[in-house]
Amino acid sequence: VQLQASGGGLVQAGGSLRLSCAASGRTAHSYAVGWFRQAPGKEREFVAQISWRGDSADYADSVKNRFTISRDNAQNTVYLQMNSLKPEDTAVYYCAAGPYSRQRNAYRYWGQGTLVTVSS
């Protein structure tokens, strides 16, 4: 499975961005997908995840009610809609495929990351 994250950029606080994670590979649709982020000098942290069917989703408390994860299995793409962005959301965002888990070590496949910068 190969993952390609895109959609990052520079946005003002309060703005929105939508990240995409395009998956390729015969079994890509059978994995849960998680989004993680890593700010400079910090560890990579869990942001959100969605089950392979798309019927379960889970969010870190810091993004709950602001971010929404969704997936389109026909397009092998997972989206992360980010609203009401804050400067503390600034990070490189990574998507990963694996079991439904908040633990980054559980994920086998990772995308290359996309940078999100939120200015105050």
Side-chain angles (χ1 to χ4, degrees), residues 13-96:
S16 298
L17 280 175
R18 188 177 79 159
L19 305 184
S20 298
C21 176
S24 60
R26 195 162 50 88
T27 60
H29 67 279
S30 64
Y31 290 99
V33 172
W35 284 98
F36 293 77
R37 67 187 181 187
Q38 187 165 19
K42 295 188 176 181
E43 291 190 354
R44 193 171 299 187
E45 64 175 5
F46 168 78
V47 175
Q49 62 175 328
I50 189 165
S51 62
W52 73 272
R53 283 196 182 95
D55 55 356
S56 294
D58 178 34
Y59 300 91
D61 287 345
S62 59
V63 306
K64 200 170 292 184
N65 299 320
R66 298 190 298 123
F67 291 10
T68 302
I69 191 170
S70 61
R71 71 188 296 162
D72 181 346
N73 280 344
Q75 299 295 325
N76 275 351
T77 302
V78 172
Y79 303 98
L80 185 68
Q81 178 67 44
M82 306 186 298
N83 298 330
S84 302
L85 283 161
K86 304 175 181 179
E88 51 263 43
D89 294 318
T90 295
V92 177
Y93 283 70
Y94 299 88
C95 61

